[in-house]
Amino acid sequence: MQKASRLKRELQMLSTEPPPGITCWQTEERIDDLRAQIVGGTGTPYEGGLFSLEINVPDRYPFEPPKMRFLTPIYHPNIDNSGRICHDALKLPPKGAWRPSLNISTVLTSIQLLMTEPNPDDPLMADISSEFKYNKQLFTEKARKWTQEHAIQKNMGVLKGNKDNTPDSKASSRKREAFEVYQEAVEPPKKTCV
């Protein structure tokens, strides 16, 4: 009962006052099965990308942290190939920092911050961590390439009306408009020769 009422409050807060660059909604009728999207931060290799996450809320929530993973492939030292995230807020003490006072919004915000500032000293992907530490230019190039290949293409899939990935038609419309503006900036309209 506590889980359901708390989740309803959190989802209401996420829909009325979402953190900048983050959206979150429930799938189908199950309140404990959520989806979220994080916009890649400006000035990062993830800029322009829209990254989808899956959130499973355990029965003992808020006494246990939600289980989150990226559905969109991302090149990051703290996120593995299956989307698992190495972050203290997703683990119980003594190894983690989850507390019942945290909520889904704060965890999503901290994951967004982790995307901006990776933690190479606590990696999930040792090779990417090493690259981040000792060859940042190569890391940045690869991360940008992955963003272009995976996060921006996923963007187009969401925009073409994939209702499983969008919380509502207004959000879809906003994403479509944002993507069209982005596309115009990246690829100016082609002129036809007469």
Side-chain angles (χ1 to χ4, degrees), residues 38 46 51-54 68-87 90 107-108 110-120 122-129 132 139 143 146-147:
I38 298 177
Y46 313 109
F51 298 87
S52 297
L53 291 91
E54 171 184 74
M68 298 187 182
R69 74 179 188 94
F70 275 83
L71 297 174
T72 306
I74 180 170
Y75 192 81
H76 193 284
N78 306 106
I79 302 162
D80 72 8
N81 292 333
S82 57
R84 292 179 303 168
I85 306 162
C86 181
H87 194 294
L90 295 173
V107 174
L108 286 170
S110 66
I111 290 171
Q112 185 181 43
L113 180 61
L114 184 68
M115 289 171 66
T116 304
E117 299 175 15
N119 180 3
D122 187 21
L124 205 50
M125 302 293 285
D127 53 337
I128 298 174
S129 173
F132 180 81
F139 164 80
W146 276 49
T147 299

Side-chain angles (χ1 to χ4, degrees), residues 38-57:
I38 298 177
V39 175
T42 306
T44 71
Y46 313 109
E47 184 173 1
L50 186 64
F51 298 87
S52 297
L53 291 91
E54 171 184 74
I55 304 168
N56 291 308
V57 183

Side-chain angles (χ1 to χ4, degrees), residues 65-164:
K67 294 179 182 6
M68 298 187 182
R69 74 179 188 94
F70 275 83
L71 297 174
T72 306
I74 180 170
Y75 192 81
H76 193 284
N78 306 106
I79 302 162
D80 72 8
N81 292 333
S82 57
R84 292 179 303 168
I85 306 162
C86 181
H87 194 294
D88 287 347
L90 295 173
K91 299 178 211 159
L92 284 168
K95 291 185 178 183
W98 173 259
R99 298 180 313 276
S101 60
L102 295 176
N103 60 38
I104 291 169
S105 178
T106 56
V107 174
L108 286 170
T109 302
S110 66
I111 290 171
Q112 185 181 43
L113 180 61
L114 184 68
M115 289 171 66
T116 304
E117 299 175 15
N119 180 3
D121 297 325
D122 187 21
L124 205 50
M125 302 293 285
D127 53 337
I128 298 174
S129 173
S130 173
E131 199 172 86
F132 180 81
K133 282 180 174 179
Y134 305 113
N135 193 348
K136 198 156 187 177
Q137 183 179 353
L138 180 62
F139 164 80
T140 303
E141 288 170 13
K142 286 183 180 179
R144 275 197 188 114
K145 183 179 179 202
W146 276 49
T147 299
Q148 290 294 320
E149 288 176 5
H150 303 288
I152 293 182
Q153 288 175 359
K154 294 289 183 199
N155 233 349
M156 293 194 300
V158 167
L159 296 174
K160 289 183 180 169
N162 183 347
K163 291 183 180 159
D164 292 336

